Amino acid sequence: MAIIGPVRLSRITVFAIYIVALGLTSLYGMLVLFDLDVTALKSSKPATGINTCAYTCKEARGDSAQIRLLERSTEPIAYVVGSSHGAKVVLPGQCVCVRAVVPAQSFDTETINQADMEEYEPVPGWPADSLIVDLVMQSSQNNAGTHDPLYIDARVTVSVDMRAVARNQNYNTHVYEGSAQLFDPGEYALDARIEFRNGQWNAEPGQFTPEFHETHMRTTLVTNALVQSTVHVERDLKHPTYLQRHQNLPLCTDGAASGRWIPEKNLPASWKQWQYMHPAEDRRVWVPYHCRLRRISHAEFVFHMSRSWPSVHWYGDSNSRRTLRPIVQAGQWCHTNNSMRLDCLCNDAPKDLFPSEWYARMPVPHWYRIHTQGVRRDEIYADLRLKEQPPTDPRPILDKDPIDNHTTYGHDYVPPGYRLRDDYFDLYYLFTRGTLDMQGRHWMRDITQEAIAPYPNANLVVFQMITWDVAFGSYSTFARSVELLARRLRNVYPHAQFVYRTGPYWCCRNAEDQQKKYSRLRFASFDAHARAVFRRVLSARIWDVSGPSSQRPPEVKRNPENMPCLSAHSRSELVHLDNQVFINMLVNK
């Protein structure tokens, strides 16, 4: 066998190789610049797992000449460019590119309103126009012409975040692109609407608050074959995200796992109640793509908290107070078929958190002791420092959790092994208004070593914000304050773990008070900045309560019975789901 030794290259040869490599790099750059097909130079394998779809739109450009014609359109249009291979049919886990073209807005002097006469600036890095774009499953029909019973009438919805494309703005036309990763088999159609134009979604303090009004965008164009409004995802029975295989996935430990809504009636008959979440008011169930959620009883939650997180400090506004209702009442809040009660739909007056006789002398902030059976009446005003006992009941759990389909696993269910236990964890809660100094409360005064000294040292700190900042604050002030707030939290809680609870999902309506500057993108932009800061400064885990709501079908998002609250509160069904995501994140290993 011949052995080849090290190859020595002359300086001229090395220089020649460098020139060739530089030429190939420049060639690739020119191809991308002129929107030509680069798949011959760069392979694009079908995605099988989590994919950010970062290069999807670059690899699915299509015919640039025809696309530029669209940019001269006189009406808004949105369309599916295709998958990363430029095809209309994709495999599960592949990505598609969506492009939107929004022409310049013309004004009629007779119908011009106050908002049209003001100048609005979008949050830096965010689009001028607020577009709500969804890919919605229309049919579960497969290549053989039959329907998959797991997805019949599912209306699986995948929201698409649109970003501005910095090119071809010569016609005062705004061009946007976004990508989406599709998993569930079926045919999807585009639902695209304009909410606000020219930065009007970001009304700052002192500016007129524009009225919410949606405009449907065209999604088909018969004169251009590149303009597609549908995309078909093939069925792969072996793909890990196929619904029949869901119970093979690991348990969720991520509080921001992506997923979809599936009608409860479609779920496999072999699934037991504890293996999936309680359905929302439309009887759809939230099912993550890459992990599985299980129903965890309040009693099991308290047991695990007593061992791992016996002291929790919680900061937040009325959305947090609403979240705490099921926790302090051991799941017994809006847990039966009475969801049309006002407090289940929207109302969140502080006195409704407990029975009226408890509220008369309720101090704020307050220290709650959360037992297996919830908060005890005799402890609500007591000095809990005088009631010291180990948080975890020393008795072993003999009966883990035998649940079958003949047992109703409701929000107030207590598994047999926990019914005689007395575990607890302590929860210190302070109502805050984000970064704002309003109505006597401000984080710079309230979050100090002196303020928390009377309470048990925190193992876990939960922080929820942005609702008040979005309503009444300016983005620039908020961005500076969040940084200072995160550093303060690190100094006050040097040994605690942090959870950042996102802001709520806001869609498709006006606030009840025009002084509140609510809009979908304003919530999203404020939240994105806070998430990034809390991750960077505090290594915070993210508890995403907006993600599931953003993936609901378009008709559900806009149904006033499903979104009865003109404030930023969620219905009780979604509150229970949000809590289960949080509990799974903390309990599952």
Side-chain angles (χ1 to χ4, degrees):
M1 177 184 296
I3 299 177
I4 302 177
V7 178
R8 295 184 178 179
L9 302 177
S10 66
R11 292 182 179 178
I12 296 177
T13 305
V14 171
F15 180 73
I17 294 174
Y18 170 77
I19 293 298
V20 172
L22 183 62
L24 288 175
T25 303
S26 300
L27 173 62
Y28 178 83
M30 286 189 292
L31 291 175
V32 172
L33 179 64
F34 291 103
D35 286 349
L36 300 178
D37 187 2
V38 299
T39 54
L41 294 178
K42 180 179 180 180
S43 63
S44 182
K45 298 179 180 179
T48 57
I50 300 175
N51 189 343
T52 59
C53 307
Y55 298 101
T56 302
C57 287
K58 290 184 179 179
E59 297 176 350
R61 294 289 189 180
D63 188 328
S64 297
Q66 293 195 54
I67 291 172
R68 290 190 176 95
L69 288 177
L70 290 175
E71 295 173 4
R72 304 186 189 188
S73 172
T74 58
E75 59 181 321
I77 185 167
Y79 57 98
V80 177
V81 179
S83 74
S84 58
H85 300 285
K88 183 178 179 179
V89 178
V90 298
L91 299 175
Q94 286 187 320
C95 302
V96 295
C97 175
V98 176
R99 184 176 287 115
V101 179
V102 183
Q105 189 175 17
S106 59
F107 296 103
D108 184 343
T109 55
E110 296 182 358
T111 61
I112 194 168
N113 57 47
Q114 183 174 345
D116 297 329
M117 294 185 290
E118 291 204 34
E119 291 188 9
Y120 298 86
E121 291 292 335
V123 170
W126 289 75
D129 304 309
S130 178
L131 312 181
I132 182 166
V133 179
D134 294 317
L135 282 164
V136 186
M137 183 185 289
Q138 306 295 311
S139 169
S140 61
Q141 187 171 340
N142 56 34
N143 295 338
T146 60
H147 290 272
D148 191 325
L150 297 175
Y151 298 96
I152 291 178
D153 299 325
R155 298 280 290 167
V156 170
T157 298
V158 180
S159 61
V160 185
D161 293 328
M162 306 299 287
R163 298 297 183 189
V165 178
R167 63 182 174 94
N168 300 332
Q169 306 290 344
N170 297 332
Y171 308 100
N172 295 319
T173 296
H174 297 161
V175 182
Y176 301 98
E177 286 179 348
S179 55
Q181 192 174 17
L182 302 177
F183 294 99
D184 295 309
E187 184 172 284
Y188 294 75
L190 204 58
D191 184 289
R193 315 184 194 198
I194 300 176
E195 297 180 303
F196 295 100
R197 296 291 308 271
N198 302 322
Q200 290 184 358
W201 59 266
N202 187 36
E204 291 272 89
Q207 288 188 300
F208 176 76
T209 306
E211 286 287 330
F212 173 81
H213 176 72
E214 282 188 326
T215 301
H216 282 267
M217 303 178 69
R218 289 192 61 176
T219 56
T220 58
L221 196 63
V222 295
T223 58
N224 193 328
L226 289 174
V227 179
Q228 305 171 8
S229 62
T230 60
V231 57
H232 187 86
V233 181
E234 292 186 337
R235 184 170 68 167
D236 181 355
L237 301 180
K238 296 183 179 180
H239 198 276
T241 62
Y242 184 64
L243 196 60
Q244 189 70 54
R245 299 175 59 87
H246 180 75
Q247 297 301 333
N248 297 330
L249 295 173
L251 292 171
C252 291
T253 58
D254 182 1
S258 61
R260 74 290 214 189
W261 293 90
I262 301 292
E264 186 180 24
K265 62 182 178 62
N266 291 15
L267 299 179
S270 60
W271 289 19
K272 296 179 172 59
Q273 284 187 357
W274 64 270
Q275 291 181 307
Y276 62 91
M277 293 293 94
H278 298 275
E281 76 288 339
D282 62 348
R283 306 309 300 174
R284 285 184 171 88
V285 174
W286 177 249
V287 183
Y289 285 118
H290 305 291
C291 62
R292 55 188 171 91
L293 295 166
R294 63 186 180 96
R295 297 188 195 183
I296 299 176
S297 68
H298 174 83
E300 184 184 350
F301 168 54
V302 172
F303 167 69
H304 284 280
M305 293 297 288
S306 72
R307 296 196 306 171
S308 301
W309 319 101
S311 178
V312 179
H313 288 200
W314 193 307
Y315 299 90
D317 56 35
S318 56
N319 284 282
S320 281
R321 189 168 58 211
R322 201 164 175 78
T323 294
L324 293 175
R325 288 169 177 258
I327 294 177
V328 300
Q329 298 183 53
Q332 298 182 35
W333 171 71
C334 300
H335 62 296
T336 57
N337 296 325
N338 61 351
S339 60
M340 296 308 291
R341 278 178 15 206
L342 185 58
D343 63 318
C344 299
L345 295 175
C346 174
N347 186 45
D348 199 70
K351 64 181 180 181
D352 294 330
L353 186 57
F354 294 108
S356 57
E357 65 270 22
W358 292 16
Y359 180 68
R361 296 179 290 115
M362 185 74 70
V364 176
H366 197 69
W367 175 6
Y368 305 111
R369 180 154 288 175
I370 314 295
H371 291 269
T372 303
Q373 304 81 17
V375 172
R376 294 175 178 169
R377 288 175 177 264
D378 64 339
E379 291 182 347
I380 195 64
Y381 302 119
D383 186 347
L384 297 179
R385 289 172 292 188
L386 304 178
K387 291 178 171 285
E388 290 190 5
Q389 66 184 67
T392 304
D393 192 319
R395 292 173 292 181
I397 301 174
L398 300 178
D399 195 348
K400 288 296 183 182
D401 204 356
I403 300 297
D404 56 36
N405 282 333
H406 302 291
T407 302
T408 300
Y409 203 130
H411 297 294
D412 58 343
Y413 177 76
V414 181
Y418 295 89
R419 289 172 186 170
L420 299 178
R421 295 188 62 79
D422 185 20
D423 304 305
Y424 76 84
F425 69 94
D426 287 321
L427 188 143
Y428 161 84
Y429 168 64
L430 178 65
F431 187 95
T432 59
R433 293 176 173 82
T435 67
L436 301 180
D437 187 352
M438 295 182 68
Q439 301 180 23
R441 308 229 67 91
H442 189 228
W443 64 268
M444 293 190 74
R445 296 188 297 271
D446 297 333
I447 304 177
T448 64
Q449 292 283 3
E450 294 75 19
I452 66 171
Y455 308 103
N457 292 331
N459 313 109
L460 180 70
V461 177
V462 179
F463 207 96
Q464 175 262 320
M465 59 188 307
I466 85 166
T467 310
W468 285 74
D469 290 282
V470 169
F472 302 111
S474 72
Y475 179 82
S476 58
T477 302
F478 170 78
R480 292 191 299 269
S481 298
V482 169
E483 188 81 27
L484 298 175
L485 168 61
R487 293 177 184 174
R488 170 69 64 85
L489 287 168
R490 171 52 66 203
N491 291 334
V492 173
Y493 297 102
H495 306 298
Q497 181 168 332
F498 292 87
V499 170
Y500 170 76
R501 182 191 185 277
T502 69
Y505 178 72
W506 181 267
C507 170
C508 320
R509 63 197 193 277
N510 291 306
E512 83 283 7
D513 180 359
Q514 283 297 298
Q515 295 301 314
K516 294 181 178 179
K517 310 299 183 181
Y518 286 167
S519 75
R520 185 180 57 86
L521 282 192
R522 199 163 149 84
F523 269 103
S525 58
F526 278 58
D527 185 68
H529 181 77
R531 285 196 204 200
V533 172
F534 271 67
R535 277 189 178 129
R536 172 171 49 81
V537 178
L538 301 170
S539 300
R541 301 174 71 180
I542 305 300
W543 173 16
D544 186 0
V545 303
S546 62
S549 294
S550 71
Q551 308 301 313
R552 305 193 81 179
E555 65 276 11
V556 177
K557 292 176 183 176
R558 294 166 175 83
N559 187 342
E561 292 185 1
N562 297 332
M563 304 185 69
C565 206
L566 295 180
S567 65
H569 297 152
S570 298
R571 287 181 59 130
S572 59
E573 296 90 346
L574 292 182
V575 172
H576 282 294
L577 169 63
D578 296 340
N579 283 10
Q580 280 292 319
V581 170
F582 173 65
I583 293 169
N584 273 259
M585 177 177 69
L586 295 181
V587 171
N588 292 335
K589 304 297 182 182

